[in-house]
Amino acid sequence: MRQAPAPLRHLRKHLSRLLLERRCLACGAPVRGKERGLLGGRLCADCAAALARREKGFCPRCGEINAWPALEPSPCARCLVAPPPWQRFLFHGVYEGMLRELILRLKLGGELPLARLFGLLLLEHPELRELTAGLEDEEPILVVPVPLHPARLRARGFNQVLELARPLARPGFRLEPRLLCRTKNTPTQTTLHLDSRRRNLRAAFSVTGDTRGQRILLLDDVATTGATLHETAEALLRAGADRVDVLVLARTPLPNRS
Ligand SMILES: [Zn+2]
Ligand SMILES: [Zn+2]
């Protein structure tokens, strides 16, 4: 076979390098061979460290971040008195630093490839597998992203929560983006306390499908007071859901730490 001319050979070499080379989903830097173990080679070592999962120092029922990052998860005062309507609360990290920056780049900057990174981070949560354990022959868990109001969806063009739910469409889970809809367009009032936020959100969601006897994994990007999750979980349980678990990408830190 005749050898290809030098520029073509060079192009081929360059192309194959581009195709084989993995770039970090968070910062775009090439991921070197020895780093391949981090999120399947999708994150560089620096970003993997900055985006590590919070493993301790929070309330396991509502994710409230406490001031002691090395403390084994222990229930907060509020959950001891009035436990939330969901069973498990799984989250990836604290809403600060690189995780916060990337979430804002997705939500405000429309960088949709970041949703895939977030979905993969969520998928790595060790307790996620426990939820589907023993469910092989049963109905899958319905993954329900917290919806945006249609007006806000039109303005933004996408629901970031639905985008980060997509990698979760795996055996044992079924994505149900239309089960829940938001009927009231409430402004984001992050400064309000849980009770005031819940009053604002009353009757803001309705269940539009059959949830009777179903297990549901409610998904949101950021949990601040948990008011949205309380309202949506209660709406799903009122509509007959058997059990609701919660999966959240980021939990806001204590007000005095931010
Ligand atoms: Zn990186
Ligand atoms: Zn709690």
Side-chain angles (χ1 to χ4, degrees):
M1 199 177 81
R2 207 161 58 86
Q3 208 184 17
L8 197 57
R9 280 207 308 276
H10 180 74
L11 185 69
R12 270 189 197 153
K13 208 168 129 193
H14 186 65
L15 271 177
S16 68
R17 196 185 299 145
L18 269 181
L19 289 173
L20 290 174
E21 187 178 75
R22 286 207 131 166
R23 294 203 166 255
C24 172
L25 282 174
C27 72
V31 178
R32 291 183 295 276
K34 62 178 165 53
E35 296 176 336
R36 294 256 157 146
L38 305 169
L39 206 68
R42 293 178 176 93
L43 282 180
C44 72
D46 289 346
C47 292
L51 293 171
R53 192 167 55 83
R54 173 90 169 199
E55 292 179 341
K56 291 179 180 179
F58 57 84
C59 165
R61 287 307 304 273
C62 73
E64 185 182 275
I65 307 295
N66 64 43
W68 306 279
L71 194 76
E72 288 298 329
S74 53
C76 68
R78 182 187 280 271
C79 288
L80 284 174
V81 177
W86 54 78
Q87 298 297 310
R88 291 206 197 187
F89 183 99
L90 314 181
F91 75 104
H92 179 77
V94 183
Y95 187 60
E96 61 187 8
M98 180 183 256
L99 184 58
R100 182 173 176 273
E101 279 167 36
L102 294 178
I103 290 173
L104 292 174
R105 271 168 52 187
L106 168 64
K107 274 167 93 160
L108 309 177
E111 288 186 43
L112 283 171
L114 289 172
R116 180 163 167 71
L117 163 65
F118 296 148
L120 293 170
L121 287 176
L122 290 174
L123 207 53
E124 296 247 308
H125 199 296
E127 287 181 51
L128 206 53
R129 226 155 283 138
E130 289 173 24
L131 288 182
T132 52
L135 283 182
E136 286 81 11
D137 301 322
E138 294 180 39
E139 283 281 293
I141 295 177
L142 308 183
V143 179
V144 177
V146 168
L148 291 179
H149 186 268
R152 197 173 293 177
L153 182 62
R154 270 196 302 277
R156 185 174 289 166
F158 63 95
N159 175 3
Q160 73 281 358
V161 188
L162 169 58
E163 296 308 318
L164 63 96
R166 294 191 194 281
L168 296 172
R170 299 279 167 109
F173 295 108
R174 190 170 76 223
L175 189 53
E176 286 287 345
R178 280 181 282 275
L179 197 60
L180 198 61
C181 72
R182 197 168 193 137
T183 46
K184 205 164 120 187
N185 198 5
T186 49
T188 37
Q189 287 169 295
T190 45
T191 50
L192 291 179
H193 288 295
L194 175 62
D195 295 335
S196 342
R197 284 187 67 140
R198 288 194 65 186
R199 260 196 305 278
N200 272 5
L201 285 168
R202 201 150 290 161
F205 297 94
S206 67
V207 178
T208 54
D210 190 8
T211 60
R212 280 169 302 171
Q214 303 280 10
R215 286 187 57 179
I216 291 179
L217 182 64
L218 190 56
L219 186 71
D220 208 354
D221 55 349
V222 181
T224 305
T225 58
T228 304
L229 294 168
H230 267 90
E231 290 307 312
T232 46
E234 278 175 356
L236 290 160
L237 289 166
R238 270 198 307 272
D242 199 32
R243 162 181 175 150
V244 175
D245 297 285
V246 168
L247 179 63
V248 165
L249 181 61
R251 184 68 162 86
T252 49
L254 291 172
N256 58 5
R257 288 183 63 229
S258 56

